[in-house]
Amino acid sequence: MTFTLPPLDFRSDTVTRPDDVMRAAIASAEVGDNVLEHDPTVAALEERAAHVLGMPAALWVPSGTMANLIALSLHLQRGDRFLATRGAHVLANELGSAAWLAGGMPDILEHDGGPGRPSPDALAAAIGQPGPYFTLRTSLLCLENTHNAAGGAVTPPDEHAQLLSVAKEAGLTVHLDGARLWQAAVALEVPPAALTVGVDSVSACFSKGLGAPVGSVVAGSAAFVERARRMRQMLGGGVRQGGVLAAACLVALDRIPELAESHENARRLAEGLREHGWPTNEPDTNIVLAEVPDIPTALAWLDSLGIRAVPMAGRVRFVTHRDLSAADVEEALRRIKTGA
């Protein structure tokens, strides 16, 4: 008889499943046709999300990738150069849609200002000076907070403000990929709106850490959101009775303070991995990146122990979330220590 260890899923904070409270909200949601008119629950979510993010208006979309694509499509003209940090989601995880569909020419900013962010001087140098008409036009800066590939690193409000100042002085539009902005806000003990000051648009996700099964928002000015609604329809995001999904996102917003628990679990996981000889980052939030000699071998060995993880930025990524308890973290460390 083969004994199988119960799985411990650290692949992402998107693997969570809606609990009974969230399922009840989904079942009882007031709905309407969100394309023909405006689903009342979707409308309530968009109004609340805009307020939480400190933006005039917000639009619900099915995914964070769609949210970012909508923003880039509206901010860029074909052939425009845009700047994003190395490993940014819009560069590495959205299948080239920024270039293919939004028509932008990406250029990479290194993390010389700290994990996940450039220094103001490096940003200014990358922007450069306007050249003749036949040179690339740099029109957009994409920031990411938290930065996934940098191990869930946060950008504090003062450093965010410095980067915004450089970008705005050069006439750039700024989009913030805030898929895990809630995590950054909890880690820094500030409201999410404190991390969006000055941006022209921001995306945020309800299925990363907060337990919702699907859904993001893209937020900006009222005029931006009016255009974004049309772009969402072009991309096939015109969900009809979306209230059943928006209801879960409303519950998710109530759970932002609970993210602190996953941060503490990530710190304990990183500490334990280091004790067992796996060098890791010191996590700001809920992502731990571990250095290993051979990633495929390490992932296969972890899988044999019932521990699921993924490769990220040349390391093994572990993500803590609401469906993994402190006891689960200790159990994972026990399996890694004993190999059983």
Side-chain angles (χ1 to χ4, degrees):
M1 179 177 178
T2 302
F3 174 72
T4 302
L5 292 168
L8 299 172
D9 200 339
F10 290 89
R11 289 175 299 166
S12 179
D13 47 7
T14 60
V15 302
T16 57
R17 297 184 179 185
D19 61 11
D20 290 344
V21 172
M22 190 171 281
R23 289 173 185 269
I26 291 170
S28 62
E30 183 183 359
V31 299
D33 190 316
N34 197 49
V35 175
L36 293 179
E37 45 208 26
H38 206 162
D39 180 294
T41 306
V42 173
L45 171 66
E46 291 172 345
E47 181 178 355
R48 184 176 172 194
H51 175 74
V52 171
L53 293 169
M55 305 299 283
L59 178 73
W60 182 90
V61 295
S63 72
T65 294
M66 184 180 286
N68 287 335
L69 178 57
I70 287 171
L72 269 63
S73 296
L74 297 181
H75 292 321
L76 292 167
Q77 295 184 38
R78 287 196 173 274
D80 279 1
R81 174 177 178 254
F82 72 94
L83 302 172
T85 50
R86 181 171 295 280
H89 202 275
V90 295
L91 299 181
N93 301 100
E94 298 182 3
L95 284 81
S97 59
W100 178 40
L101 296 174
M105 173 73 75
D107 210 347
I108 293 172
L109 296 167
E110 300 297 344
H111 301 187
D112 70 315
R117 55 195 183 272
S119 66
D121 287 345
L123 174 59
I127 295 170
Q129 299 296 321
Y133 79 93
F134 51 79
T135 59
L136 277 173
R137 182 181 73 164
T138 303
S139 62
L140 176 66
L141 169 65
C142 290
L143 300 174
E144 187 172 325
N145 197 15
T146 68
H147 197 290
N148 182 7
V154 303
T155 299
D158 58 332
E159 296 187 37
H160 168 89
Q162 292 171 25
L163 295 172
L164 262 289
S165 177
V166 171
K168 291 299 181 180
E169 186 174 347
L172 270 62
T173 300
V174 179
H175 172 65
L176 174 61
D177 180 353
R180 293 184 174 89
L181 192 73
W182 328 114
Q183 303 276 5
V186 169
L188 294 166
E189 298 182 338
V190 299
L195 303 176
T196 68
V197 176
V199 303
D200 297 281
S201 60
V202 57
S203 62
C205 186
F206 302 108
S207 64
K208 293 182 172 70
L210 298 179
V214 62
S216 291
V217 287
V218 59
S221 68
F224 169 84
V225 168
E226 183 177 354
R227 295 173 64 211
R229 193 177 304 277
R230 288 180 57 84
M231 180 59 67
R232 182 185 67 181
Q233 193 72 10
M234 292 180 195
L235 296 173
V239 174
R240 298 294 180 169
Q241 286 72 34
V244 295
L245 302 173
C249 299
L250 283 165
V251 174
L253 281 175
D254 293 334
R255 295 175 169 176
I256 292 174
E258 298 174 16
L259 295 172
E261 183 177 347
S262 66
H263 297 178
E264 180 57 38
N265 287 341
R267 285 189 286 270
R268 172 58 191 137
L269 178 62
E271 176 187 29
L273 289 172
R274 288 193 294 269
E275 290 172 357
H276 301 324
W278 295 44
T280 74
N281 63 315
E282 188 60 52
D284 289 339
T285 52
N286 67 321
I287 298 177
V288 178
L289 298 179
E291 297 179 17
V292 297
D294 183 89
I295 292 174
T297 299
L299 290 173
W301 182 69
L302 288 168
D303 193 59
S304 73
L305 300 176
I307 300 171
R308 307 191 72 183
V310 297
M312 172 65 70
R315 290 173 282 183
V316 173
R317 188 185 77 166
F318 299 83
V319 184
T320 54
H321 50 78
R322 62 182 295 109
D323 286 3
L324 287 172
S325 66
D328 291 327
V329 170
E330 295 300 333
E331 171 61 14
L333 291 171
R334 184 200 66 78
R335 294 182 193 180
I336 290 170
K337 180 179 180 179
T338 63

